[in-house]
Coordinates of all heavy atoms in Angstrom, one line a residue:
M1 N -9.0 7.4 -10.0 CA -7.8 7.2 -10.6 C -7.8 7.8 -12.0 O -6.9 8.5 -12.4 CB -7.4 5.7 -10.7 CG -6.2 5.4 -11.5 SD -4.8 6.2 -10.8 CE -3.7 4.9 -10.5
I2 N -8.9 7.5 -12.8 CA -9.0 8.0 -14.2 C -9.2 9.5 -14.2 O -8.6 10.2 -15.0 CB -10.2 7.3 -14.9 CG1 -10.0 5.8 -15.0 CG2 -10.4 7.9 -16.3 CD1 -8.8 5.4 -15.8
R3 N -10.0 10.0 -13.2 CA -10.2 11.5 -13.1 C -8.8 12.2 -12.9 O -8.6 13.3 -13.5 CB -11.1 11.9 -12.0 CG -12.5 11.6 -12.3 CD -13.4 12.1 -11.1 NE -14.8 11.6 -11.2 CZ -15.7 12.3 -11.9 NH1 -15.4 13.4 -12.6 NH2 -16.9 11.8 -11.9
I4 N -8.0 11.6 -12.1 CA -6.7 12.2 -11.8 C -5.8 12.2 -13.1 O -5.1 13.2 -13.4 CB -6.0 11.5 -10.7 CG1 -6.7 11.7 -9.4 CG2 -4.5 11.9 -10.5 CD1 -6.3 10.8 -8.3
L5 N -5.8 11.1 -13.8 CA -5.0 11.0 -15.1 C -5.5 12.0 -16.1 O -4.7 12.7 -16.7 CB -5.2 9.6 -15.7 CG -4.4 8.5 -15.0 CD1 -4.7 7.1 -15.7 CD2 -2.9 8.7 -15.1
V6 N -6.8 12.2 -16.2 CA -7.3 13.2 -17.2 C -7.0 14.6 -16.7 O -6.6 15.4 -17.6 CB -8.9 13.0 -17.3 CG1 -9.4 14.1 -18.1 CG2 -9.2 11.7 -18.0
A7 N -7.0 14.8 -15.4 CA -6.7 16.2 -14.9 C -5.2 16.5 -15.2 O -4.8 17.6 -15.5 CB -7.0 16.3 -13.4
E8 N -4.3 15.5 -15.0 CA -2.9 15.7 -15.1 C -2.5 15.7 -16.6 O -1.5 16.4 -16.9 CB -2.1 14.5 -14.4 CG -2.2 14.6 -12.9 CD -1.6 13.4 -12.3 OE1 -1.2 12.4 -13.0 OE2 -1.4 13.4 -11.0
H9 N -3.2 15.0 -17.5 CA -2.9 15.0 -18.9 C -4.1 15.3 -19.7 O -4.7 14.5 -20.4 CB -2.4 13.5 -19.2 CG -1.3 13.1 -18.4 ND1 0.0 13.4 -18.6 CD2 -1.3 12.3 -17.3 CE1 0.8 12.8 -17.7 NE2 0.0 12.1 -16.9
Q10 N -4.5 16.6 -19.7 CA -5.7 17.0 -20.3 C -5.7 16.9 -21.8 O -6.8 16.7 -22.5 CB -6.0 18.5 -20.0 CG -6.2 18.7 -18.5 CD -6.5 20.2 -18.2 OE1 -6.4 21.0 -19.0 NE2 -6.6 20.4 -16.9
D11 N -4.6 16.9 -22.5 CA -4.5 16.7 -23.9 C -4.3 15.3 -24.4 O -4.0 15.1 -25.6 CB -3.4 17.6 -24.5 CG -3.7 19.1 -24.4 OD1 -4.9 19.4 -24.3 OD2 -2.8 19.9 -24.3
A12 N -4.3 14.3 -23.5 CA -4.0 13.0 -23.8 C -5.1 12.3 -24.7 O -6.3 12.6 -24.4 CB -3.8 12.1 -22.6
T13 N -4.7 11.5 -25.6 CA -5.7 10.8 -26.4 C -6.2 9.5 -25.6 O -5.6 9.2 -24.5 CB -5.1 10.3 -27.7 OG1 -4.0 9.4 -27.4 CG2 -4.6 11.4 -28.5
L14 N -7.1 8.8 -26.1 CA -7.6 7.6 -25.4 C -6.5 6.6 -25.3 O -6.3 6.0 -24.2 CB -8.8 7.0 -26.2 CG -10.1 7.7 -26.0 CD1 -11.1 7.1 -27.0 CD2 -10.6 7.7 -24.6
V15 N -5.7 6.4 -26.3 CA -4.6 5.5 -26.3 C -3.6 5.9 -25.3 O -3.1 5.0 -24.5 CB -4.0 5.3 -27.7 CG1 -2.7 4.4 -27.7 CG2 -5.0 4.7 -28.7
E16 N -3.3 7.1 -25.2 CA -2.3 7.6 -24.2 C -2.8 7.4 -22.8 O -2.1 7.0 -21.9 CB -2.0 9.1 -24.5 CG -1.2 9.3 -25.7 CD -1.1 10.8 -26.1 OE1 -1.9 11.6 -25.7 OE2 -0.2 11.1 -26.9
L17 N -4.1 7.7 -22.6 CA -4.7 7.4 -21.3 C -4.7 5.9 -20.9 O -4.4 5.6 -19.8 CB -6.2 7.9 -21.2 CG -6.3 9.4 -21.2 CD1 -7.8 9.8 -21.3 CD2 -5.8 10.0 -19.9
C18 N -4.9 5.1 -21.9 CA -4.8 3.6 -21.6 C -3.3 3.3 -21.2 O -3.1 2.5 -20.3 CB -5.2 2.8 -22.9 SG -6.9 2.9 -23.3
E19 N -2.4 3.8 -21.9 CA -1.0 3.6 -21.6 C -0.6 4.1 -20.2 O 0.1 3.4 -19.4 CB -0.1 4.2 -22.6 CG -0.1 3.5 -24.0 CD 0.6 4.2 -25.1 OE1 1.1 5.3 -24.8 OE2 0.6 3.7 -26.2
L20 N -1.1 5.3 -19.9 CA -0.8 5.9 -18.5 C -1.4 5.1 -17.4 O -0.8 4.8 -16.4 CB -1.3 7.3 -18.5 CG -0.5 8.3 -19.3 CD1 -1.3 9.6 -19.5 CD2 0.8 8.6 -18.7
F21 N -2.7 4.6 -17.7 CA -3.4 3.7 -16.7 C -2.6 2.4 -16.5 O -2.4 2.0 -15.4 CB -4.8 3.4 -17.2 CG -5.6 2.7 -16.2 CD1 -6.2 3.3 -15.2 CD2 -5.8 1.3 -16.4 CE1 -6.9 2.6 -14.3 CE2 -6.6 0.6 -15.5 CZ -7.1 1.2 -14.4
A22 N -2.1 1.9 -17.6 CA -1.3 0.6 -17.5 C 0.0 0.8 -16.7 O 0.4 0.0 -15.9 CB -1.0 0.1 -18.9
I23 N 0.6 2.0 -16.9 CA 1.9 2.3 -16.2 C 1.6 2.4 -14.7 O 2.3 1.9 -13.9 CB 2.5 3.5 -16.8 CG1 3.1 3.3 -18.2 CG2 3.6 4.0 -15.8 CD1 3.5 4.5 -18.9
K24 N 0.5 3.1 -14.4 CA 0.2 3.4 -12.9 C -0.3 2.2 -12.2 O 0.0 2.0 -11.0 CB -0.8 4.5 -12.8 CG -0.2 5.9 -13.3 CD -0.6 7.0 -12.3 CE 0.1 8.2 -12.8 NZ 0.4 9.1 -11.8
T25 N -1.1 1.3 -12.9 CA -1.8 0.2 -12.2 C -1.3 -1.1 -12.6 O -1.5 -2.1 -11.8 CB -3.3 0.2 -12.5 OG1 -3.5 0.0 -13.9 CG2 -4.0 1.6 -12.2
G26 N -0.6 -1.3 -13.7 CA -0.2 -2.6 -14.2 C -1.3 -3.3 -14.9 O -1.1 -4.5 -15.3
N27 N -2.4 -2.7 -15.1 CA -3.5 -3.3 -15.8 C -3.8 -2.6 -17.1 O -4.0 -1.4 -17.1 CB -4.8 -3.3 -15.0 CG -4.7 -4.1 -13.7 OD1 -4.2 -5.2 -13.7 ND2 -5.1 -3.6 -12.6
W28 N -3.9 -3.3 -18.2 CA -4.1 -2.7 -19.5 C -5.6 -2.7 -19.8 O -6.3 -3.7 -19.5 CB -3.4 -3.5 -20.6 CG -3.8 -2.9 -22.0 CD1 -4.6 -3.4 -22.9 CD2 -3.2 -1.7 -22.6 NE1 -4.7 -2.6 -24.0 CE2 -3.8 -1.6 -23.8 CE3 -2.3 -0.8 -22.1 CZ2 -3.6 -0.5 -24.7 CZ3 -2.0 0.3 -23.0 CH2 -2.6 0.4 -24.2
V29 N -6.2 -1.6 -20.3 CA -7.6 -1.5 -20.7 C -7.6 -1.1 -22.1 O -6.7 -0.4 -22.6 CB -8.4 -0.5 -19.8 CG1 -8.5 -1.0 -18.4 CG2 -7.8 0.9 -19.9
S30 N -8.6 -1.6 -22.8 CA -8.8 -1.2 -24.2 C -9.2 0.2 -24.4 O -9.7 0.9 -23.5 CB -9.8 -2.1 -24.9 OG -11.1 -1.8 -24.4
R31 N -9.0 0.7 -25.6 CA -9.4 2.1 -25.9 C -11.0 2.2 -25.7 O -11.5 3.2 -25.2 CB -9.0 2.4 -27.3 CG -9.3 3.8 -27.8 CD -8.8 4.1 -29.1 NE -9.2 3.2 -30.2 CZ -10.3 3.3 -30.9 NH1 -11.1 4.3 -30.7 NH2 -10.6 2.4 -31.8
T32 N -11.7 1.2 -26.1 CA -13.1 1.2 -26.0 C -13.6 1.2 -24.6 O -14.5 2.0 -24.2 CB -13.7 -0.1 -26.7 OG1 -13.3 -0.1 -28.1 CG2 -15.2 -0.1 -26.7
A33 N -12.9 0.4 -23.7 CA -13.3 0.4 -22.3 C -13.0 1.8 -21.7 O -13.8 2.3 -20.9 CB -12.5 -0.7 -21.6
M34 N -11.9 2.4 -22.0 CA -11.5 3.7 -21.5 C -12.6 4.7 -21.9 O -13.0 5.5 -21.1 CB -10.1 4.1 -22.0 CG -9.7 5.4 -21.5 SD -9.4 5.6 -19.7 CE -8.0 4.6 -19.5
C35 N -13.0 4.7 -23.2 CA -14.0 5.6 -23.7 C -15.3 5.5 -23.0 O -15.9 6.5 -22.6 CB -14.2 5.4 -25.2 SG -15.3 6.5 -26.0
R36 N -15.7 4.2 -22.8 CA -17.0 4.0 -22.0 C -16.9 4.5 -20.6 O -17.8 5.1 -20.1 CB -17.3 2.5 -22.0 CG -17.8 2.0 -23.3 CD -18.2 0.5 -23.2 NE -18.4 0.0 -24.5 CZ -18.1 -1.3 -24.8 NH1 -17.6 -2.1 -23.9 NH2 -18.3 -1.7 -26.0
Y37 N -15.8 4.3 -19.9 CA -15.6 4.7 -18.6 C -15.6 6.3 -18.5 O -16.2 6.9 -17.6 CB -14.4 4.1 -17.9 CG -14.4 4.3 -16.4 CD1 -15.3 3.7 -15.6 CD2 -13.5 5.2 -15.8 CE1 -15.3 3.9 -14.3 CE2 -13.5 5.4 -14.5 CZ -14.4 4.8 -13.7 OH -14.4 5.0 -12.3
L38 N -14.9 6.9 -19.4 CA -14.9 8.4 -19.5 C -16.3 8.9 -19.7 O -16.7 10.0 -19.1 CB -13.9 8.9 -20.6 CG -12.4 8.6 -20.3 CD1 -11.6 9.0 -21.5 CD2 -12.0 9.4 -19.1
Q39 N -17.1 8.3 -20.5 CA -18.4 8.7 -20.8 C -19.3 8.6 -19.5 O -20.1 9.5 -19.2 CB -19.1 7.9 -21.9 CG -18.5 8.3 -23.3 CD -19.1 7.4 -24.4 OE1 -19.6 6.3 -24.1 NE2 -18.9 7.9 -25.6
K40 N -19.1 7.5 -18.8 CA -19.8 7.4 -17.5 C -19.5 8.4 -16.5 O -20.3 8.9 -15.7 CB -19.5 6.0 -16.9 CG -20.2 4.9 -17.6 CD -20.0 3.5 -16.9 CE -20.7 2.4 -17.7 NZ -20.5 1.1 -17.0
L41 N -18.2 8.9 -16.5 CA -17.8 9.9 -15.7 C -18.1 11.3 -16.2 O -17.9 12.3 -15.5 CB -16.2 9.9 -15.5 CG -15.7 8.6 -14.7 CD1 -14.2 8.7 -14.7 CD2 -16.2 8.5 -13.3
G42 N -18.6 11.4 -17.4 CA -19.0 12.7 -18.0 C -17.7 13.4 -18.5 O -17.7 14.6 -18.6
L43 N -16.7 12.7 -18.8 CA -15.4 13.2 -19.3 C -15.1 12.8 -20.7 O -14.1 12.2 -21.1 CB -14.2 12.7 -18.4 CG -14.3 13.1 -16.9 CD1 -13.2 12.4 -16.2 CD2 -14.3 14.6 -16.7
N44 N -16.0 13.2 -21.6 CA -15.9 12.8 -23.0 C -14.7 13.5 -23.7 O -14.4 14.6 -23.4 CB -17.1 13.2 -23.8 CG -18.3 12.4 -23.4 OD1 -18.2 11.3 -22.8 ND2 -19.5 12.9 -23.7
R45 N -14.0 12.7 -24.5 CA -12.8 13.2 -25.2 C -13.3 13.7 -26.6 O -14.1 13.1 -27.2 CB -11.7 12.2 -25.4 CG -11.3 11.4 -24.1 CD -10.9 12.3 -23.0 NE -9.6 12.9 -23.4 CZ -9.0 13.9 -22.7 NH1 -9.6 14.4 -21.6 NH2 -7.9 14.3 -23.0
K46 N -12.7 14.9 -27.0 CA -13.1 15.4 -28.3 C -11.9 15.2 -29.2 O -10.8 15.4 -28.8 CB -13.5 16.8 -28.2 CG -14.8 17.1 -27.5 CD -15.2 18.5 -27.5 CE -16.5 18.7 -26.8 NZ -16.9 20.1 -26.9
K47 N -12.2 15.0 -30.5 CA -11.1 14.9 -31.5 C -10.5 16.3 -31.7 O -11.3 17.3 -31.7 CB -11.6 14.3 -32.8 CG -12.0 12.9 -32.7 CD -12.4 12.4 -34.1 CE -12.8 11.0 -34.0 NZ -13.3 10.5 -35.3
K48 N -9.2 16.3 -31.9 CA -8.6 17.6 -32.2 C -8.5 17.7 -33.7 O -8.1 16.8 -34.4 CB -7.2 17.6 -31.6 CG -7.2 17.5 -30.1 CD -5.7 17.5 -29.6 CE -5.7 17.0 -28.2 NZ -4.3 16.8 -27.8
H49 N -8.8 18.9 -34.2 CA -8.7 19.1 -35.6 C -7.4 20.0 -35.8 O -7.3 21.1 -35.3 CB -9.9 19.8 -36.2 CG -11.1 19.0 -36.1 ND1 -11.4 17.8 -36.8 CD2 -12.2 19.0 -35.2 CE1 -12.5 17.3 -36.5 NE2 -13.0 18.0 -35.5
G50 N -6.5 19.5 -36.6 CA -5.2 20.2 -36.8 C -5.3 21.5 -37.6 O -4.6 22.4 -37.3
A51 N -6.2 21.6 -38.5 CA -6.3 22.8 -39.4 C -7.7 23.0 -39.8 O -8.5 22.1 -39.8 CB -5.4 22.6 -40.6
V52 N -8.0 24.2 -40.2 CA -9.3 24.6 -40.8 C -9.4 24.0 -42.2 O -8.4 24.1 -43.0 CB -9.4 26.1 -40.8 CG1 -10.7 26.5 -41.4 CG2 -9.3 26.7 -39.4
A53 N -10.5 23.4 -42.5 CA -10.7 22.9 -43.8 C -10.7 24.0 -44.9 O -11.2 25.1 -44.7 CB -12.0 22.1 -43.9
K54 N -10.0 23.6 -46.0 CA -10.0 24.6 -47.1 C -11.3 24.6 -47.9 O -11.9 23.5 -48.0 CB -8.8 24.2 -48.0 CG -7.5 24.3 -47.4 CD -6.4 23.9 -48.4 CE -5.0 24.0 -47.8 NZ -4.0 23.6 -48.7
P55 N -11.7 25.8 -48.3 CA -12.9 25.8 -49.1 C -12.7 25.0 -50.4 O -11.6 25.0 -51.0 CB -13.2 27.3 -49.3 CG -11.9 27.9 -49.1 CD -11.1 27.0 -48.2
G56 N -13.8 24.4 -50.9 CA -13.7 23.7 -52.2 C -13.5 24.6 -53.4 O -13.7 25.8 -53.3
L57 N -12.9 24.0 -54.4 CA -12.7 24.8 -55.6 C -14.0 25.0 -56.4 O -14.8 24.1 -56.5 CB -11.7 24.0 -56.5 CG -10.3 23.8 -55.9 CD1 -9.5 22.9 -56.9 CD2 -9.6 25.1 -55.7
K58 N -14.1 26.2 -56.9 CA -15.3 26.5 -57.7 C -15.0 26.1 -59.1 O -14.0 26.4 -59.7 CB -15.6 28.0 -57.6 CG -16.0 28.4 -56.2 CD -16.4 29.8 -56.1 CE -16.8 30.2 -54.7 NZ -17.1 31.7 -54.6
E59 N -16.0 25.5 -59.7 CA -15.9 25.2 -61.2 C -16.2 26.4 -62.0 O -17.1 27.2 -61.7 CB -16.9 24.1 -61.5 CG -16.6 22.8 -60.9 CD -17.5 21.7 -61.3 OE1 -18.1 21.8 -62.4 OE2 -17.7 20.7 -60.6
S60 N -15.4 26.6 -63.0 CA -15.7 27.7 -63.9 C -16.6 27.3 -65.1 O -16.5 26.1 -65.5 CB -14.4 28.3 -64.5 OG -13.7 27.3 -65.2
K61 N -17.5 28.1 -65.5 CA -18.4 27.8 -66.6 C -17.8 28.4 -67.9 O -17.7 29.6 -68.0 CB -19.8 28.4 -66.3 CG -20.4 27.7 -65.1 CD -21.8 28.3 -64.9 CE -22.4 27.7 -63.7 NZ -23.7 28.3 -63.4
N62 N -17.4 27.6 -68.8 CA -16.9 28.0 -70.1 C -17.8 27.8 -71.2 O -18.4 26.9 -71.4 CB -15.5 27.4 -70.4 CG -14.5 27.9 -69.4 OD1 -14.7 29.0 -68.8 ND2 -13.4 27.2 -69.3

């Protein structure tokens, strides 16, 4: 069931997967439980980074 949800919603966050699981099964699982189960299945979720980090400002020597 979880493999199918991940395949259908590849960009879903852990919270979104929990909500989808609850809608399909009627059972709510915590984000932590979902994460653990995904790890057991070898389906780790990676954080998305919205933008490239800006380089730090250089100090001028006066």
